[in-house]
Amino acid sequence: MCIACRRRGPQSALLRLTVQRGDPPQAVVDVRRRLPGRGAWIHPTVKCWQAARKKNAFARAFRVARIEPPEIPRWIHHSTEERVHQMETNQ
């Protein structure tokens, strides 16, 4: 289930995040889905990423008081821009 929009979906459609210890702890994308520790899942979209940051969903998902939320990965920005461009040119 996505921590931002709360919709269920196949794990293949979601990104796994884990906590990297530090001060403050930091959420990181677990691309291979093999890092130890508590995981959280999110749709790889700018919309879900921004909603999760706004709702403090990263801290709740990892059960910590404070966490440094990850930046939106560059490839999400790129794929989103590419889809928008394709939609605009198909109209």
Side-chain angles (χ1 to χ4, degrees):
M1 179 185 320
C2 176
I3 63 172
C5 67
R6 310 299 293 167
R7 286 185 292 145
R8 293 189 182 275
Q11 285 186 355
S12 60
L14 300 169
L15 285 178
R16 183 174 189 266
L17 303 168
T18 58
V19 175
Q20 184 177 40
R21 299 291 169 205
D23 187 32
Q26 187 172 23
V28 296
V29 176
D30 182 7
V31 178
R32 292 187 177 195
R33 301 176 180 179
R34 300 209 191 307
L35 294 174
R38 183 172 188 79
W41 299 86
I42 189 168
H43 285 108
T45 64
V46 173
K47 183 178 178 181
C48 280
W49 214 269
Q50 290 171 337
R53 288 179 68 115
K54 185 176 180 181
K55 296 193 296 188
N56 199 27
F58 297 105
R60 278 197 320 255
F62 294 120
R63 297 180 183 167
V64 294
R66 192 175 122 232
I67 192 164
E68 185 65 32
E71 292 299 319
I72 299 171
R74 247 180 256 148
W75 56 269
I76 290 178
H77 274 299
H78 178 71
S79 64
T80 302
E81 290 171 1
E82 193 173 285
R83 277 185 255 138
V84 168
H85 177 69
Q86 286 175 353
M87 289 173 18
E88 288 174 345
T89 56
N90 288 336
Q91 290 182 359

